[in-house]
Amino acid sequence: MWRGVSLFSALALFGAGLTACSINHFERREPWRDQAEQVCLAKKLVEPSEYITPIAAMDGPGPCGMQQPFRVTRLGGGSVLLKQRMTLGCPALAEAEAWLADTIQPAANLYFGVPVAEINAGSYSCRGRNNQPGAKLSEHGFGNAIDVMSIKLADGHVITVKGGWRGTEAEQGFLREIFLGACQRFTTVLAPGSNVFHYDHIHVDLARHDPRGLRRICKPLIKFTPQLGTGAERPLSRPIPPQRQPAGPQAPVDVEEDDPYGVSPMSKAGSATQVARAPARPLDRPAAASAYTATAPVRPAPRAPDPAGRRSRAAPRPVTVAAAPHRPAKRRRGTAGA
């Protein structure tokens, strides 16, 4: 028995040692982090509630932590449940609320006809970037980042980033809307196609990539026209931050692959493209604007009678073709819908 206890203790200490080794203790918390928190708190961009609770300051291990963390169980004034509670600093939480109100909810209503009810996302974690030991500390270690894995709608439909990024047209459009909306608010946005570490979630953070905080990284590079507009046509819950500069040439630009919206798509899909259907609605409710609407089938023209008693061909008539999503001209042999 004591041998088993000793073995368990040794393994626990070994695991703790590995965790400690994965944190770069030589890093220091940059002054701008505390300054950004103080400005956010002074402007009262986050209002405590029964769903957003201030907790004690977090200091360490290493440079990890924040002055005033918030424990969050719901967003959007309590309308959106979090599958797992989040711990965030004031700046990231404020932008997350604005992202939800200005992009995520409108996109859900546009593409599916129902609002978002639940979000599965990760937040605070004192670790290296991409969970790599010895790497530079992730923004998650400062409560300054969020990883969105899936979104559940009010009708029960779950959209995962991993499956929906190449799922139905509505799922693809919805995820790309919220991706581009995030690029307007966060300084770093990484989605599937950006690198091997982000194939199943959308990462957003407020890291500073230059001293002034104007440089941003938004990957992958996608070819997609937003349906929500630029923001000037609709009221926003919070103003969009000043226009930021793209990352310099030293940061390689990742082009999205295996995707119909990619600039250089190389699809390996083995099945036909799934076509989104317009959401069902009650008969007594008028149809709402939707990104994907059903098109009435084109019926053939009736045959004209022939005076000679012979069957004649139908008179030619113009055929109306419904507008289809962008499809690249070039397609690899043996693929469908890419």
Side-chain angles (χ1 to χ4, degrees):
M1 176 179 176
W2 289 108
R3 182 178 298 177
V5 172
S6 300
L7 179 60
F8 177 79
S9 301
L11 289 174
L13 290 173
F14 180 70
L18 287 179
T19 303
C21 290
S22 66
I23 300 172
N24 191 339
H25 291 273
F26 294 100
E27 286 190 44
R28 293 291 181 267
R29 196 182 307 172
E30 298 94 330
W32 66 263
R33 298 187 183 278
D34 291 343
Q35 295 168 5
E37 273 196 87
Q38 292 166 4
V39 170
C40 181
L41 293 169
K43 291 183 177 180
K44 296 183 178 180
L45 299 182
V46 171
E47 293 290 342
S49 66
E50 58 180 311
Y51 314 112
I52 300 176
T53 310
I55 58 177
M58 303 173 69
D59 189 12
C64 289
M66 61 204 93
Q67 290 181 326
Q68 179 55 80
F70 290 91
R71 187 147 295 160
V72 189
T73 58
R74 286 178 178 266
L75 292 173
S79 62
V80 177
L81 175 69
L82 294 177
K83 190 170 184 179
Q84 49 186 330
R85 67 183 183 184
M86 296 195 298
T87 301
L88 292 170
C90 183
L93 178 54
E95 291 300 340
E97 288 277 26
W99 182 32
L100 172 66
D102 298 337
T103 303
I104 299 178
Q105 287 290 25
N109 283 294
L110 174 65
Y111 286 89
F112 301 103
V114 291
V116 171
E118 181 183 274
I119 295 177
N120 181 22
S123 56
Y124 176 77
S125 177
C126 186
R127 58 173 174 79
R129 291 181 180 176
N130 302 318
N131 282 302
Q132 300 301 298
K136 184 178 176 63
L137 276 174
S138 168
E139 291 299 308
H140 287 287
F142 306 100
N144 204 31
I146 302 171
D147 286 342
V148 176
M149 282 78 76
S150 65
I151 292 175
K152 184 177 181 180
L153 303 177
D155 61 2
H157 179 53
V158 177
I159 305 160
T160 65
V161 174
K162 180 180 179 181
W165 195 258
R166 299 176 180 85
T168 66
E169 291 180 8
E171 289 174 336
Q172 292 188 43
F174 169 72
L175 290 175
R176 281 156 181 75
E177 292 280 3
I178 69 174
F179 168 75
L180 294 179
C183 291
Q184 291 185 307
R185 293 201 168 274
F186 296 89
T187 56
T188 311
V189 184
L190 300 172
S194 59
N195 57 45
V196 296
F197 300 105
H198 296 87
Y199 70 97
D200 62 350
H201 66 277
I202 297 176
H203 169 95
V204 299
D205 69 47
L206 291 170
R208 286 198 179 182
H209 302 295
D210 67 298
R212 298 174 59 192
L214 296 178
R215 183 172 295 170
R216 65 179 177 86
I217 296 175
C218 186
K219 298 180 182 181
L221 180 64
I222 63 174
K223 194 173 184 180
F224 175 75
T225 302
Q227 302 298 309
L228 290 178
T230 59
E233 300 86 354
R234 55 196 173 94
L236 300 177
S237 60
R238 280 193 56 217
I240 293 176
Q243 185 67 31
R244 298 187 176 99
Q245 302 170 356
Q250 73 276 8
V253 176
D254 293 325
V255 177
E256 185 177 18
E257 297 179 354
D258 290 346
D259 194 275
Y261 286 119
V263 175
S264 299
M266 294 183 294
S267 177
K268 300 175 183 177
S271 59
T273 301
Q274 296 172 287
V275 179
R277 303 297 179 189
R281 60 180 177 85
L283 295 178
D284 59 347
R285 196 173 78 184
S290 174
Y292 297 100
T293 55
T295 304
V298 178
R299 300 184 180 277
R303 297 181 180 276
D306 189 343
R310 295 174 299 175
R311 295 176 63 88
S312 61
R313 295 183 179 179
R317 61 177 295 180
V319 177
T320 303
V321 180
H326 171 75
R327 291 288 186 274
K330 189 175 180 179
R331 183 171 63 181
R332 293 181 63 182
R333 185 177 180 182
T335 62

